[in-house]
Amino acid sequence: RVALAAALFVEPEILLLDEPTNHLDLEAIMWLETYLLDYRHTLMIISHDRELLNKCIDHVIHVDNMQLTLSSGNYDTFERERALAAGLQQKMHEKQIAAREHMQAFVDRFKAQASKARQAQSRMKALEKMDIVDAVIADRAIQFVFPNPQQIASPMISINHADVGYGEDAPVLKNIHRNIDNDDRIALLGANGEGKSTLMKLIADRLGIMDGEVTRSNKLKIGYFSQHQTEELDVESTPYHEMFALFQKKNGSAAEHLVRAKLGAFGFSRDLADNKIGALSGGEKARLLFAFMSFDAPHLLLLDEPTNHLDIDAREALVQALNAYEGAIVIVSHDPNMVERVADRLWLVKDGKCKDFEGDLEDYRKFTIQSRRDERKEKRKAQKRA
C-alpha cells in the first residue's frame, strides 16, 4: 500500500501499474477501482483482476507470439471479440449454458429462503452479467478437478462462544459462535488485520482456542490452502516426488500411474511433474498446492487468497472447479468475481467479531464506504476534543 500510495501521490502523466491488487484486501481494491476510474492521465496496467480491468480500461494491448495487438473496449469486450475471431462461438455457447444452469440451480433452491434470499439475488445479478467470456476463458485454461467427498452429517464444525488469538496476547476474535454445514459456501469479508486468517486457522485446527468450545465431526477431513504455503515448498524436489511421498504417507504405497493421474488433474504433464519445484511459476506452485490439499477428498476446503498467483484463465478454471465440487468451502479472497460466483454466505470479520453480512458485494461496498466516512468523522471529532 505504501508503494502504491507513493506512485499515486505524484499523479504522473503516465501511471504504470504491474499487478497492483495482489497484496491488497477487498476494501483497498474497491477504493483503487474508484480512483483509477477517474484518473485523468494515461494509465497502463497489468492485472489478473478481471473486475478491475473491466471497470478501469478502455483499450487492451494483447501480447502473443511476440506480437502486440491493440483493441478498444474493456477486458470482456476483448475476450468476446477474440472468441468470435477464433470461431469458437458455438462451443463457448454450450459451456456458457452449463455454467448458467449451475448458478440457476442455486437461485431456484434458495430464493424462497429468507436467510439466503439476498445471496440468491446476488447470483441472479451475476447471471445477468454472464456472457460468452466466461466460457472462452475456461476453454483456454488448465482445468482443475477437486474430488468430491463422502457426505457427513451437519454441522461438520460447531464453534461455541470461542475466543482465539496468539500466545499471551489479547484475543484477536472474541465470542465466535458459528456453525459450518456440509453444503456451506462461505466467504469471509473484512479488512486486512481484522482476523480473517486467524479464523481460518481456527477452523483448520491449526490454532487453538483461548476460551469456549469447538466441536468437529469425527470423520471430517479438511483441505487447507494458504497464500504463504508456496514459500514452504521444497524447491529442490519435484511435483512427482512430493506427490509420490504423499501417496506413501497416506496409503502406504504409490503406483506411478496414480501419482501422475492426480497431478494431471491439476494440469501437470509428465515433463512439468518432473521439473524442480524451484523452476515452477507462481501459478504452477499454487496448482501443486491445490493437488496436495485435495488429495484425500476433503469434506471442507479452506482457501486463503487462492488466486494471488493465478492468471485470469486459471482463476476462471478455479471458479468452475469450486462450483463443481460437492463439499463445503470457506474462502478469503480479494477477487470480487470469485466471491460473487462461489459464495452464498458472507461472514463479516470486524472489530474482533464474526457475524453474518446480510447482503451482496454491492451492499458490502456501500457498507465499507459508509464505515470509512464514519471513522473519519469520529477521528475529526476526537482531534477537536483534544
Side-chain angles (χ1 to χ4, degrees), residues 153-162 176-181 202-203 209 212-217 220 300 347:
S154 292
M156 56 175 64
I157 297 179
S158 181
I159 305 173
N160 300 306
H161 304 290
I176 304 301
H177 195 66
R178 303 272 93 185
N179 286 341
I180 300 177
D181 293 336
L202 171 65
I203 296 170
I209 57 173
E213 182 182 27
V214 178
T215 304
R216 294 178 173 85
S217 169
L220 176 63
L300 171 63
W347 287 1

Side-chain angles (χ1 to χ4, degrees), residues 250-358:
K250 298 283 188 177
N251 302 333
S253 61
E256 180 177 352
H257 71 281
L258 294 177
V259 175
R260 294 198 181 277
K262 178 67 71 173
L263 289 169
F266 290 86
F268 284 88
S269 63
R270 175 179 286 270
D271 289 342
L272 190 58
D274 292 333
N275 273 1
K276 283 190 174 182
I277 291 174
L280 301 180
S281 68
E284 288 164 347
K285 290 176 182 176
R287 296 207 315 268
L288 184 59
L289 291 175
F290 291 147
F292 291 161
M293 67 173 280
S294 63
F295 174 83
D296 55 356
H299 304 94
L300 171 63
L301 297 182
L302 303 179
L303 303 171
D304 190 354
E305 299 292 2
T307 63
N308 269 3
H309 298 287
L310 301 182
D311 61 22
I312 292 178
D313 293 4
R315 291 183 183 201
E316 177 62 27
L318 178 59
V319 167
Q320 295 200 10
L322 292 175
N323 281 334
Y325 170 70
E326 295 177 1
I329 296 170
V330 178
I331 185 170
V332 174
S333 178
H334 62 229
D335 186 334
N337 180 59
M338 172 164 287
V339 172
E340 188 173 58
R341 293 174 57 193
V342 171
D344 47 54
R345 294 181 67 187
L346 302 177
W347 287 1
L348 177 61
V349 181
K350 184 177 174 63
D351 299 330
K353 301 176 182 178
C354 177
K355 57 184 180 181
D356 289 308
F357 183 82
E358 299 297 339

Side-chain angles (χ1 to χ4, degrees), residues 4-5 7-9 11-22 24 27-47 49-58 365:
L4 183 61
L8 299 181
F9 179 76
E11 292 193 11
E13 293 181 354
I14 301 178
L15 177 61
L16 305 177
L17 299 178
D18 189 353
E19 298 293 357
T21 64
N22 264 8
L24 300 183
E27 290 76 7
I29 292 174
M30 290 175 176
W31 179 90
L32 182 62
E33 287 176 352
T34 303
Y35 182 88
L36 296 181
L37 192 61
D38 297 328
Y39 195 70
R40 54 187 178 180
H41 304 300
T42 298
L43 166 68
M44 184 173 288
I45 183 170
I46 298 171
S47 178
D49 189 325
R50 179 172 162 182
E51 290 291 313
L52 181 73
L53 294 179
N54 276 331
K55 291 177 180 177
C56 299
I57 66 170
D58 51 27
R365 181 187 296 271

